[in-house]
Amino acid sequence: MSTIKYLSMIALVAATTLIGCKKDTKEPDPEPEVPATLSYTIPTTYNFSNTDFANSTRCITMLGEITTYLRSTHTSTTASQPTLDAQKLKNMYINANNAFANADLNGSGIQLKDKTGNEFGFQATLETSFEDAAAASIVAAADATNTTASNGTKGKLISPARAILVDANGFEYKEFTEKGIMGAVFYYQATTLLTNINSYDNVTVTNGMTTQERAWDEAFGYFGVPVDFPINTTGLKNWGSYANSVNSAIGCNTIIMDAFLKGRAAISNKDNTARDAASKVVMNTWEKVAAAKCISYLKGAKNNLTDAGTLHHNLSEGHGFVTSFKYNPSRIISDADINALLGYFGGNLYTMSQSDIDNAITKLATVFNLDASKL
C-alpha cells in the first residue's frame, strides 16, 4: 500500500469516528424557565382601583325582585292574596316594559335571560314555569287560607311554619326560579368566566381596565358579598348568604374571598400562575358550598317529614343546588353522580322517600368529603 493510500484510509476512519460520536451525543435539555418571583400587594378587601362588577350586582337585584313577587302568593293568613301575572314575570326575566320597581334595572340594558346558560333548556323551562305558577296562584287565591296542593294538583301547601306555592309534583315555584337563576345565570356565568379567564385580553386597557380584569370582577360580583367580606356580612345575597350559612361547618368564607383577592391582584400584576391557582380555589370552594347547603336542606327535610310546607320547601331548595352543579364547566362532581342525585329526588317530590334523602346526603358527603353531621 502506498503512503498516500494509507494516509487517506486513516483520514476516512477518523472522519467516520467523529460523525459517529456526533450522532451519539445527546444535546442537553434546556434549563426550565424559572418564572420571575413577582412581588405585589394583595389588598385585604375588594377595593381595587379599577373594579367594576355593577352588572353582576344588577342581576342579583333583578332576581331579588322576582323572588319577592313570587313570594307574595305565599301568605297563609290573608283571605285575599295576590295572584301572579306570568307576563310580568317574563318581562322581568328579559327586562322589558319597565318590569322592575328599581328604575336603574329597567334602564340598564341588562337581562337575566340572555345571561342564562341554556345548555339544558332552562330558558324555556323557566318561562313555562311562570305560566304554571300564575295558574297555581289563581287556584290558591280562591281558597287562600287552606292547602289546595296535593300529589298531582298544583296550589298552595300550608303548614304551621310556612305556606308555599307548588306545582303538581310538589316543587316550589319560588325555589325553582331562585335556585334556577342562581345556577343557570350566576354560577354559570362566574364559573365559565373563571374557567376561561386566560382567554381574555390582559394587555389592552379600556376605560381603565383590561378585559380580563373585568371578567374576574364580574365573576366576583355574582358571588353576592360586600367588598370587605367576610369581616362584613351585611347585605349578603344568594350564594354569598348560603356560603356564610355553612361557613362554621366547612370554613369557606375566608378561603373563597382570599382567592378572589389573590386572583384579581395576580391579573393586574400579570402573574398568571397565581391567577390560575386562585381561580381553581374559588371554583372548588364554591362547588363545595353548593354541596354543603344541599345537605343542610336535605337534613331539614328529613326533620320535617310531617310538615308538608317545610318538607317541600327544603326538598325544592336541595334539588336546585344539585341542578346547579351542571352549570360549572370545571366541576368536581361527575355527571354520573349528578344524575344519581337527581334520581334520588325523582320527578315528583311527593314520592321521595326518607331512604332517598339519606342516599342523597351520603352521596354528597362522599363526593365532597363533607361531614354531614356538622351541617
Side-chain angles (χ1 to χ4, degrees):
M1 181 181 296
S2 67
T3 301
I4 293 176
K5 285 184 178 181
Y6 177 72
L7 291 175
S8 297
M9 287 182 64
I10 290 175
L12 179 61
V13 170
T16 303
T17 302
L18 286 171
I19 292 171
C21 290
K22 187 174 182 180
K23 285 182 177 178
D24 291 342
T25 301
K26 182 180 179 182
E27 294 293 332
D29 293 331
E31 290 294 327
E33 184 176 350
V34 178
T37 300
L38 301 177
S39 177
Y40 51 88
T41 301
I42 300 172
T44 56
T45 65
Y46 209 91
N47 277 316
F48 299 89
S49 60
N50 53 354
T51 305
D52 182 6
F53 49 88
N55 286 339
S56 305
T57 302
R58 288 190 178 98
C59 288
I60 290 175
T61 306
M62 288 176 178
L63 177 57
E65 285 208 24
I66 291 173
T67 54
T68 297
Y69 180 55
L70 286 165
R71 192 185 287 114
S72 68
T73 63
H74 290 184
T75 306
S76 63
T77 57
T78 304
S80 177
Q81 70 176 43
T83 57
L84 298 173
D85 179 347
Q87 189 57 54
K88 176 179 174 66
L89 287 165
K90 291 178 182 178
N91 287 341
M92 294 171 108
Y93 187 41
I94 61 172
N95 194 8
N97 299 317
N98 297 319
F100 294 104
N102 185 330
D104 173 66
L105 301 181
N106 295 327
S108 66
I110 302 298
Q111 61 165 280
L112 293 169
K113 184 174 182 177
D114 70 4
K115 287 187 172 294
T116 300
N118 202 38
E119 180 180 356
F120 309 104
F122 184 71
Q123 290 175 338
T125 304
L126 181 61
E127 290 178 324
T128 299
S129 172
F130 291 156
E131 297 277 0
D132 204 48
S137 72
I138 295 172
V139 172
D143 191 5
T145 58
N146 293 305
T147 288
T148 50
S150 61
N151 189 356
T153 302
K154 59 194 170 194
K156 193 162 63 175
L157 286 175
I158 299 175
S159 63
R162 69 182 72 238
I164 60 173
L165 194 68
V166 299
D167 69 12
N169 294 314
F171 287 91
E172 185 182 350
Y173 292 109
K174 195 269 288 182
E175 290 308 325
F176 181 80
T177 301
E178 184 176 46
K179 297 300 169 300
I181 290 178
M182 280 176 58
V185 180
F186 303 166
Y187 191 51
Y188 164 76
Q189 287 289 337
T191 55
T192 300
L193 287 165
L194 295 178
T195 297
N196 301 319
I197 195 67
N198 65 350
S199 68
Y200 295 96
D201 174 39
N202 197 25
V203 176
T204 307
V205 175
T206 304
N207 295 325
M209 62 196 310
T210 67
T211 305
Q212 193 171 121
E213 288 173 323
R214 192 182 303 280
W216 188 274
D217 287 350
E218 186 177 348
F220 170 73
Y222 285 120
F223 191 54
V225 298
V227 295
D228 51 353
F229 180 76
I231 294 175
N232 177 14
T233 56
T234 301
L236 298 176
K237 303 294 184 185
N238 304 114
W239 283 109
S241 178
Y242 288 117
N244 191 51
S245 70
V246 297
N247 180 59
S248 61
I250 67 173
C252 55
N253 284 359
T254 298
I255 293 174
I256 198 166
M257 187 62 181
D258 282 355
F260 267 123
L261 294 171
K262 289 177 181 176
R264 182 57 163 79
I267 289 172
S268 297
N269 289 279
K270 317 302 183 191
D271 185 352
N272 294 342
T273 301
R275 175 203 63 194
D276 294 343
S279 172
K280 186 176 181 181
V281 171
V282 169
M283 289 191 285
N284 289 354
T285 308
W286 198 330
E287 187 176 0
K288 205 166 187 176
V289 167
K293 199 60 205 175
C294 185
I295 289 175
S296 172
Y297 277 116
L298 288 170
K299 290 177 68 177
K302 190 176 174 182
N303 293 332
N304 291 279
L305 294 174
T306 60
D307 180 339
T310 302
L311 172 64
H312 283 258
H313 170 73
N314 279 286
L315 293 179
S316 298
E317 293 258 21
H319 185 272
F321 280 110
V322 171
T323 304
S324 293
F325 289 137
K326 298 189 296 183
Y327 293 100
N328 179 354
S330 299
R331 60 184 173 271
I332 296 169
I333 191 170
S334 68
D335 290 345
D337 283 335
I338 293 174
N339 289 333
L341 287 165
L342 292 176
Y344 295 136
F345 281 92
N348 186 339
L349 294 184
Y350 288 102
T351 62
M352 189 175 185
S353 67
Q354 185 172 337
S355 63
D356 288 328
I357 296 174
D358 288 335
N359 288 334
I361 291 172
T362 300
K363 171 67 75 178
L364 287 162
T366 302
V367 171
F368 292 97
N369 192 28
L370 292 168
D371 184 349
S373 69
K374 295 181 179 178
L375 292 164

